[in-house]
Amino acid sequence: MGFFSKDIKNMDDLFLHTLRDIYYAEKQIVQALPEMIEKSSDPQLKQGFQSHLRETENHVKRLERVFQLQGQDAKGVECPAIDGIIDEANEVAGEVEDKNVLDAALIAAAQAVEHYEITRYGSLIAWAKQLGRQDCATLLQQNLDEEKAADRKLTAMAESNVNRKAA
Ligand SMILES: [Fe+2]
Ligand SMILES: [Fe+2]
């Protein structure tokens, strides 16, 4: 179901649709991260992916609480955007042999994922506030803060040793 579906009539519908979208995305990320952990070589990167996997599992749980606060069942709606980002990451990673170059590719793919999450959480938080749901906004903000922190760590790694080794 796309953003311009007839089923979205008001801000509550739009909020719920986007909540389902990010819920689906977070679950796909939980599925994708173990492979990224396995493929990465740099110990710092591997450890970063591991800790973000644990955070991501918690993002799913926080979203389930937001569904609960909304009086809705937690369910996802297919999100072609995150599927595309993950597919592309797998495609690129499959073509890279040099492990330092592979690390750089994994960082870039992970940053694309984080930026997707950041944009979704930004919209959801704004809408939750607009709908008078500060309780939901607070939970979503906790996820957003962790996405931003993960993104900053990836940027630092990209700028330091990983990319230098690949050069
Ligand atoms: Fe997340
Ligand atoms: Fe994330």
Side-chain angles (χ1 to χ4, degrees):
M1 185 173 71
F3 258 0
F4 303 107
S5 157
K6 282 202 298 270
D7 297 326
I8 299 173
K9 295 189 181 73
N10 54 39
M11 289 309 294
D12 288 290
D13 297 340
L14 183 61
F15 179 83
L16 183 61
H17 173 79
T18 308
L19 189 62
R20 287 179 174 154
D21 172 296
I22 191 70
Y23 184 63
Y24 173 89
E26 291 283 15
K27 288 184 131 185
Q28 296 301 106
I29 297 163
V30 169
Q31 302 283 315
L33 273 168
E35 207 182 322
M36 296 176 79
I37 293 166
E38 204 179 303
K39 282 180 177 166
S40 57
S41 305
D42 182 277
Q44 200 194 347
L45 179 61
K46 209 180 259 294
Q47 199 255 310
F49 282 150
Q50 267 153 353
S51 78
H52 200 53
L53 173 57
R54 287 188 296 273
E55 284 178 339
T56 303
E57 286 164 347
N58 203 29
H59 295 173
V60 170
K61 289 195 190 115
R62 282 199 195 107
L63 290 175
E64 286 167 353
R65 280 164 59 203
V66 177
F67 278 110
Q68 210 174 28
L69 288 167
Q70 292 280 319
Q72 298 283 342
D73 292 332
K75 66 173 186 202
V77 60
E78 204 168 297
C79 168
I82 198 72
D83 286 339
I85 291 170
I86 292 171
D87 284 351
E88 194 184 6
N90 288 336
E91 238 170 75
V92 172
E95 288 165 8
V96 179
E97 274 175 37
D98 181 288
K99 61 186 173 63
N100 293 321
V101 178
L102 179 56
D103 277 354
L106 289 168
I107 288 175
Q111 286 201 280
V113 171
E114 293 315 316
H115 284 227
Y116 180 76
E117 292 182 282
I118 288 167
T119 176
R120 282 293 176 260
Y121 282 119
S123 300
L124 281 165
I125 290 162
W127 296 338
K129 287 179 181 165
Q130 192 183 329
L131 293 165
R133 296 306 303 255
Q134 186 56 50
D135 51 352
C136 297
T138 300
L139 287 163
L140 295 164
Q141 184 69 50
Q142 288 166 0
N143 281 7
L144 177 60
D145 290 345
E146 289 179 359
E147 311 300 10
K148 284 187 175 168
D151 183 51
R152 278 195 298 272
K153 275 188 225 159
L154 288 163
T155 297
M157 281 189 258
E159 285 172 354
S160 63
N161 55 336
V162 176
N163 277 8
R164 203 165 44 238
K165 276 190 255 165

